Amino acid sequence: MKKDVKVIEIKSIAANGNDRTVYVIGSLDLTVSDVCQSEDIPVLSIISTRETMPMSQAEALEYTFCHHMAHVLDPNVTYAKVRIHSCIA
């Protein structure tokens, strides 16, 4: 499989004070600042960021789904909103 994408994960504080986690599947040249601009995430609200190694699109979807399910199944989470954002051209 062609490893042509990566996943960027950004944890931040939302405007309402809740934690917000955004997963973006994008090309290898995508940066965290690009994601912050496209998702309207203020830089000062960021708690942490993580970028994966290059992977295939199927691996990236599986990675994102598994991490999202971990959030949903966490007993401390009371509300979860899903939106898969892809910056793949």
Side-chain angles (χ1 to χ4, degrees):
M1 282 189 219
K2 195 164 108 177
K3 298 186 182 283
D4 57 349
V5 297
K6 67 180 175 181
V7 177
I8 295 179
E9 172 188 352
I10 299 177
K11 292 184 180 185
S12 64
I13 302 295
N16 62 5
N18 294 330
D19 289 349
R20 175 184 182 194
T21 304
V22 175
Y23 293 96
V24 176
I25 300 170
S27 62
L28 297 177
D29 60 347
L30 184 69
T31 65
V32 172
S33 66
D34 294 337
V35 175
C36 288
Q37 288 177 348
S38 69
E39 294 293 318
D40 294 325
I41 301 172
V43 175
L44 295 176
S45 71
I46 294 175
I47 299 169
S48 67
T49 62
R50 184 186 328 181
E51 292 185 36
T52 64
M53 299 296 288
M55 56 180 66
S56 68
Q57 291 180 15
E59 291 170 332
L61 284 171
E62 181 180 355
Y63 176 91
T64 304
F65 178 74
C66 290
H67 279 79
H68 177 70
M69 287 307 296
H71 284 288
V72 171
L73 296 175
D74 184 350
N76 297 320
V77 173
T78 57
Y79 177 74
K81 178 180 171 184
V82 180
R83 187 177 99 188
I84 297 177
H85 182 80
S86 178
C87 292
I88 303 168

